[in-house]
Amino acid sequence: MDGPGPRYTSYPTADRFEAFGADRLEDAFAERRRMEEADSFTPLSLYIHIPFCESVCYYCACNKVITKHHERAKPYLDALGVELDLVTDAIGWQRSLAQIHLGGGSPTFLSDTELSELMTAVRGAFFVNPDAEISIEIDPRTFTGSRLEHLRGLGFNRLSFGVQDFDPDVQEAVHRVQSFDSVSDLMRQARALGFKSINADLIYGLPRQTPASFERTIAQISSLRPDRIALYAYAHLAERFKPQRRIDIKELPTPVARVEMLAAAMAGFQGVGYAYIGMDHFALPDDALAIAQREGRLHRNFQGYSTHPDCDLVGLGVSAIGRIGRHYYQNAKTLPDYYAALEAGKLPVVKGLTLGTDDLVRRDVIMALMCHGRVEFAAIERAHGLRMREAFADELAQLMPMVADGLVTLDDHAIEVTRNGWFVVRAVALVFDRYLKDSASRDRFSKIV
């Protein structure tokens, strides 16, 4: 149960992507364009990947470029402009956007002028809905209150702070030193400027963390009252991610300590009024994420939990992932490959997957577990024309040990994750993943707890 497993921001997971040419993505865009022009269609979400960071955090597994040379941003923004033109030529100009998210890397590596130019280009290509969620990840170590004002002026209404841990020893071990006071000051200024939602990212399982030290971080974050808290389990995959080789594995907490940290976080955040959204998110009761959960409208995509319907996602930038209809796609992962495709006038997609009928059924089952902790058999049967007991006989049999352990309940009508089962909800979802039946194929993922 404490082995590796996906976080299921998609099903199938991105490691299942295969060769996927620009022509296939153009066809997917064209298909959506025809459907939208023939009938009403859900708005799009837009993700833009900014890969640059000034310094490396040793735990990081993101696609990034470490540099202090800010002049490298200009050719990247030029390339984004070319990609934006290619995408909107294919999908149609001024399509509605319900969400925009800038991630990385560190999007705030861009100067205020460059952020203005980027948002002007986006608004020129798409129609940004008046109530759109416009969010950005910020690095508190390199950010100021005056820059917050500029973001607000550009229409950003949501912020995500990379915190991870406030303990000085842990910060030193992962090469990310930032004070509690600096984060507190920025959050206070963000609220004064009217940002609608503030998220804080934390990681448990980092080197030199202990249950006692992490409880202090939990208390400090709780005192700041961010609207949302994302709590991730550190995945030590040093053979894949070079910066992690700088971490001394002898300083990593034991599996027992990791479980204690997770339990303390769940008890601590819920004890001060946060709703537990799912395996990695907490939100204040009046936050849109908590409201969506209560109303059964919670969704999950490549950015994590979302309040919006299961809408298509356009990914822009190096390594960005998107989804159009039943097609997933991913852009080139290196800047040279990304630039080369755009210089040739082609969408920079290199990998992807077109979901089959079985994929679509299993995706609905897995996302119901991840978002609601419950799979209603009747809903799956109506949507896909099958009988759960017959179609998933083997999987339901595999759940019986979890039933015996009190992690799930199972009857003739539904599967439901128990309170304790939420600790290992990824393991419950994993039962329905036909691509990961053997343990060897799971080794590329983080530990479930």
Side-chain angles (χ1 to χ4, degrees):
M1 205 63 78
D2 64 345
R7 302 182 63 80
Y8 289 116
T9 52
S10 71
Y11 178 81
T13 50
D15 63 303
R16 295 292 143 186
F17 291 2
E18 55 198 18
F20 194 96
D23 55 340
R24 289 178 65 183
L25 182 56
E26 288 172 356
D27 289 344
F29 282 145
E31 179 184 351
R32 180 190 159 99
R33 182 174 185 167
R34 288 192 297 270
M35 293 175 69
E36 188 167 1
E37 290 172 348
D39 197 0
S40 61
F41 215 75
T42 55
L44 292 162
S45 288
L46 178 67
Y47 172 73
I48 305 174
H49 189 78
I50 309 297
F52 305 108
C53 290
E54 286 193 6
S55 65
V56 65
C57 302
Y58 296 163
Y59 57 79
C60 187
C62 299
N63 186 288
K64 59 199 171 294
V65 176
I66 306 301
T67 181
K68 293 187 181 295
H69 295 281
H70 284 253
E71 65 273 14
R72 295 187 67 177
K74 185 183 186 310
Y76 187 73
L77 289 173
D78 291 343
L80 279 175
V82 174
E83 186 183 7
L84 191 59
D85 287 345
L86 291 171
V87 167
T88 47
D89 281 346
I91 206 169
W93 288 82
Q94 288 296 300
R95 298 305 189 207
S96 294
L97 285 183
Q99 291 177 308
I100 304 171
H101 181 72
L102 270 62
S106 295
T108 50
F109 180 92
L110 302 181
S111 68
D112 287 351
T113 298
E114 288 165 341
L115 285 166
S116 295
E117 291 171 354
L118 178 57
M119 293 306 294
T120 296
V122 169
R123 292 180 183 277
F126 293 99
F127 174 76
V128 180
N129 292 355
D131 60 348
E133 294 181 359
I134 308 177
S135 60
I136 185 170
E137 300 168 10
I138 69 171
D139 182 347
R141 298 171 300 171
T142 60
F143 212 66
T144 64
S146 63
R147 296 204 69 192
L148 283 173
E149 288 187 56
H150 186 73
L151 289 178
R152 194 72 187 95
L154 292 177
F156 286 92
N157 49 32
R158 294 175 181 270
L159 300 173
S160 183
F161 284 74
V163 174
Q164 322 319 343
D165 194 296
F166 281 125
D167 186 271
D169 284 343
V170 177
Q171 291 183 354
E172 181 184 30
V174 298
H175 199 239
R176 187 185 179 95
V177 177
Q178 59 194 4
S179 70
F180 170 80
D181 288 342
S182 65
V183 174
S184 176
D185 287 346
L186 282 173
M187 283 195 184
R188 176 182 51 77
Q189 292 176 72
R191 286 197 177 90
L193 289 167
F195 282 90
K196 190 178 297 184
S197 182
I198 296 172
N199 174 77
D201 287 346
L202 298 179
I203 299 177
Y204 71 94
L206 293 174
R208 302 184 194 172
Q209 267 181 346
T210 66
S213 74
F214 198 57
E215 277 203 67
R216 290 193 293 272
T217 289
I218 292 167
Q220 287 173 297
I221 281 291
S222 298
S223 73
L224 299 180
R225 303 297 284 176
D227 302 273
R228 299 176 184 177
I229 299 167
L231 175 67
Y232 300 113
Y234 171 61
H236 190 69
L237 301 169
E239 69 282 358
R240 290 179 54 202
F241 304 113
K242 188 175 179 180
Q244 294 186 357
R245 297 170 197 171
R246 304 188 191 186
I247 286 177
D248 183 350
I249 60 173
K250 295 190 295 295
E251 294 184 333
L252 293 174
T254 65
V256 171
R258 287 168 63 100
V259 172
E260 289 180 14
M261 291 179 205
L262 176 58
M266 292 180 70
F269 292 136
Q270 291 179 91
V272 294
Y274 283 90
Y276 183 49
I277 301 302
M279 66 171 191
D280 54 12
H281 274 78
F282 301 83
L284 293 175
D286 58 352
D287 184 82
L289 210 58
I291 294 169
Q293 184 199 45
R294 292 197 296 272
E295 296 178 351
R297 297 185 291 102
L298 198 62
H299 295 274
R300 192 160 174 81
N301 60 27
F302 289 107
Q303 275 76 62
Y305 287 109
S306 171
T307 60
H308 284 264
D310 198 16
C311 56
D312 287 345
L313 170 69
V314 174
L316 297 180
V318 62
S319 79
I321 296 178
R323 196 206 88 181
I324 302 295
R326 60 167 62 196
H327 312 282
Y328 293 148
Y329 71 92
Q330 184 171 26
N331 283 347
K333 290 187 175 182
T334 68
L335 285 178
D337 290 343
Y338 176 72
Y339 290 151
L342 293 169
E343 287 168 3
K346 296 181 179 180
L347 289 166
V349 59
V350 293
K351 297 169 63 179
L353 188 70
T354 298
L355 277 64
T357 301
D358 181 71
D359 295 327
L360 295 170
V361 178
R362 291 175 183 272
R363 182 175 73 178
D364 282 356
V365 172
I366 287 172
M367 292 307 163
L369 288 168
M370 298 299 295
C371 292
H372 311 296
R374 183 177 174 86
V375 180
E376 294 281 355
F377 290 178
I380 299 297
E381 290 170 352
R382 282 195 305 271
H384 298 284
L386 51 77
R387 289 184 175 276
M388 280 289 294
R389 284 284 183 182
E390 295 175 5
F392 292 104
D394 291 344
E395 288 82 356
L396 296 178
Q398 291 174 49
L399 287 178
M400 296 313 296
M402 297 186 190
V403 172
D405 290 339
L407 302 175
V408 297
T409 61
L410 174 63
D411 58 30
D412 290 337
H413 307 290
I415 305 163
E416 185 156 10
V417 180
T418 67
R419 182 180 179 86
N420 286 338
W422 272 111
F423 281 82
V424 292
V425 66
R426 291 158 67 185
V428 182
L430 186 62
V431 169
F432 294 90
D433 189 331
R434 74 178 178 90
Y435 296 97
L436 297 178
K437 294 297 185 184
D438 63 281
S439 58
S441 60
R442 305 172 197 164
D443 289 344
R444 63 187 292 110
F445 298 105
S446 62
K447 287 189 174 183
I448 289 171
V449 177

